[in-house]
Amino acid sequence: MTRRIKKVAIIGSGIMGSGIACHFANIGVEVLLLDIIPRELTDKEKAKGLTLEDKVVRNRLVNDALSASLKSKPSPIYNQKFANRITTGNLEDDIAKVADVDWIMEVVVERLDIKKTVFEKLEKYRTPGTIISSNTSGIPIKFMNEGRSEDFQKHFTVTHFFNPPRYLKLFEVVPGPDCKQEVTDFLMSYGEKFLGKTSVLAKDTPAFIGNRIGIFGIQSLFHQVKELGLTVEEVDKLTGPVIGRPKSATFRTVDVVGLDTLVHVANGIYENCPNDEAHELFKLPSFINKMMENKWLGSKTGQGFYKKTVVNGKKEILTLDLETMEYRSKKRAKFATLELTKTIDKPIDRFKVLVGGKDKAGEFYRKNFAAMFAYVQNRIPEISNELYKIDDAMKAGFGWENGPFEIWDAVGVTKGIELMKAEGKEPANWVTEMLASGSTSFYSVKDGATYFYDIPSKTQTKKPGQDGFIILDNIRKSNEVFKNSGVVIEDIGDGILNIEFQSKMNTIGGDVLAGINKGIDLAEKNFQGLIVGNQAANFSVGANIGMIFMMAVEQEYDELNYAIKYFQDTMMRMRYSSIPTISAPHGMALGGGCEISLHADKVVAAAETYMGLVEFGVGVIPGGGGSKEMALRASDSFNKGDVELNILQENFLTIGMAKVSTSGYEAFDLGLLQKGKDVIVVNKDRQIATAKAHAKLIAESGYTQPAKRKDVKVLGKQALGMFLVGTDAMEHSNYISEHDQKIANKLAYVMAGGDLSEPTLVTEQYLLDLEREAFLSLCTERKTLERIQAMLKTGKPLRN
């Protein structure tokens, strides 16, 4: 039987329940979100003369929770319009509706008695064969399953999402003891293919995989902080981006998640894992108990390890001193070992240097990794039979760039054992056997695929589930056809090339543009199609503004003019090449990164794509064809009458207000992606493979080189007048500065096609010339240079 999920019921509308409901709505599934009915009226309800029988009262809890979730930042939903896919109700009036759904998920409080009552109710209305799951993070399935029917038990699993469900990729599937294999297989596949997750099959052990290892890591740190005399800031400096972890590192993350949540899981592990060799480590140190007593739980109580305060009218963040348990001003953390890693771009390449450090940081990393390596090796086969599942869980659930076994490989397996022995810990038998078998690492790469050391067979075995993916890290060396300092071009098979940016933050400079041109040359000669895509954190943050700044300051305007023209010409080559070009943006696709997508034949964007033409922030207009393209797109959608001005005005505001989409779907609303042409991929791991499939399809359908456009309708003075009146009014009401107005007026001139006396058909090149002229003239302005300089120094836009 082929299962399809058309409708789900989520029981419990708290932060997790509402977040999961929003993520199902994100992917187009109908959601029924149910919660309990209130026991008493609020003062507002009493004032309105409502009773406990009124529907608005009965659904108050679920509606308030969903409404709060939809307003939260970052948003749980790709586009606010998608919220209409969610229907709310309560567990008394609407429970019978669960008979019509394909999957019921329980997300109520972590109390077994309450969960059992909910399951009993659901069983009365659930259609046999319907999947039923719990989002528990630790209650054993055998207790939840007790007393349920055989059909319920055959279709019951834990499906554990991590918070926030839209952004964290881990989806732990824990089958019940009697769960049918086809249900487990279906959920694993559905999580990866439709929900865009990393599905990890876990065992029914306390805290499963992600939290068992993650909480161990945090608890281990809690105990090391005192031992090594480190401050909160120092630990967050050592455990953040430098080792490929989120900016929030350790203590800031605990503040965001909530100390009580962490304590709940740690206590659960302490109580339920008496034989864990690190059992005592899950005991809470005294400073944590003190914080719990004081209700210093983090962001939700206004203070935790950090506390926001206002001093002399200025916002300041104070830090908790773990010795005195009092808040003090933040101190800057600095370590010589970290300075040594500044020139090493990838975190995976830094670990060898970090564990060799001669200062307190080096000591910290040696102790920290020794403890982690020793712990994860001993969790096999307890929590997982395969080592890669532990790495997958940590990367997807905690945002680590590399899992523990990948880090151990990076340090060197024998070096890792040396670190462990220095801390009095021994390698597990299977690790010693691995080295004896001739495998010197936990992972290896062969024919573009990742292999892992499989313990029972003592061989390197292909990691399952890779067939839908193209992993650039695995093929870069063997499939490289061209390389310069800014790009690597890989042959990804079936006649398709991929251009991968390699510059810092994937900024676009001369080397990247040369690489794009080279890629088009190669593809036109010997291949069928071309993709511009990478698997870094961000697609591209735009043009190299440092280079523009230097040319402008030195007043090298001829060179600057040439550089802008080179960018424009490269974009036009993408648009008018004889092979299909596909852009695959994800993460930040800003400025020039956005312009690349505007000029591709098709965009295959990740759902998490933050796209926008943000050049106003540095005092210029989009100069790589972006201003031209937004005028051209307005021209293509013009209808009769004054609607023309409305569409042009919307595109003008998208640039003028530097609007950035909060998801790939929102980019359609901004006119940056085109409906019916561009597509969204929810699972970023599949993005390059999906882009390749589209490139192949377009090529095989008989792609013809497009003819250059000479029919772009511009409105001239009619549009220019409207824009100038608007910018004037905004400047007079102090909504924008004088310099903002100057930039906006330059953009208006380009998008109107100049001051032509009547609507006229022009060429793209005509608009590109206007755009370049405007960009150059703005680069001669002192205030623009101040804006660029501020962005280079602080990373924040300056309003001057």
Side-chain angles (χ1 to χ4, degrees), residues 665-740:
Y665 287 96
E666 218 179 76
F668 285 108
D669 295 348
L670 296 178
L672 301 170
L673 292 183
Q674 294 177 299
K675 288 185 174 116
K677 182 180 125 176
D678 299 330
V679 295
I680 302 285
V681 177
V682 181
N683 190 333
K684 190 177 140 214
D685 295 339
R686 288 178 165 263
Q687 192 182 6
I688 302 287
T690 306
K692 176 183 164 181
H694 280 285
K696 258 180 79 179
L697 189 66
I698 296 169
E700 285 162 8
S701 305
Y703 180 80
T704 310
Q705 183 166 342
K708 291 199 173 171
R709 298 281 302 269
K710 298 172 187 170
D711 60 344
V712 186
K713 186 179 180 183
V714 293
L715 304 179
K717 281 183 174 166
Q718 181 193 358
L720 187 58
M722 175 192 72
F723 287 142
L724 298 183
V725 168
T727 61
D728 208 39
M730 286 169 91
E731 198 269 333
H732 277 308
S733 56
N734 291 324
Y735 187 73
I736 58 174
S737 71
E738 201 180 312
H739 193 54
D740 290 329

Side-chain angles (χ1 to χ4, degrees), residues 289-321:
N289 288 323
K290 179 83 176 149
M291 288 173 76
M292 288 294 286
E293 271 170 44
N294 292 350
K295 299 249 181 317
W296 294 349
L297 307 180
S299 306
K300 58 180 144 189
T301 57
Q303 62 193 104
F305 291 103
Y306 295 99
K307 177 184 179 178
K308 274 185 188 167
T309 181
V310 177
V311 180
N312 302 327
K314 273 190 176 179
K315 282 183 185 170
E316 195 187 336
I317 295 172
L318 302 177
T319 311
L320 184 64
D321 185 311

Side-chain angles (χ1 to χ4, degrees), residues 633-651 713 715 718-719 722-723:
R633 289 187 180 192
S635 159
D636 284 348
S637 55
F638 282 165
N639 288 315
K640 292 187 180 78
D642 57 6
V643 177
E644 295 186 345
L645 283 173
N646 293 354
I647 294 163
L648 190 66
Q649 189 172 24
E650 273 177 38
N651 287 2
K713 186 179 180 183
L715 304 179
Q718 181 193 358
M722 175 192 72
F723 287 142

Side-chain angles (χ1 to χ4, degrees), residues 10 12-14 33-37 58 61-62 65 89-92:
I10 308 286
S13 66
L33 181 63
L34 304 180
D35 213 322
I36 56 174
I37 56 171
R58 292 173 79 77
L61 295 178
V62 66
N90 65 71
L91 281 167
E92 290 184 22

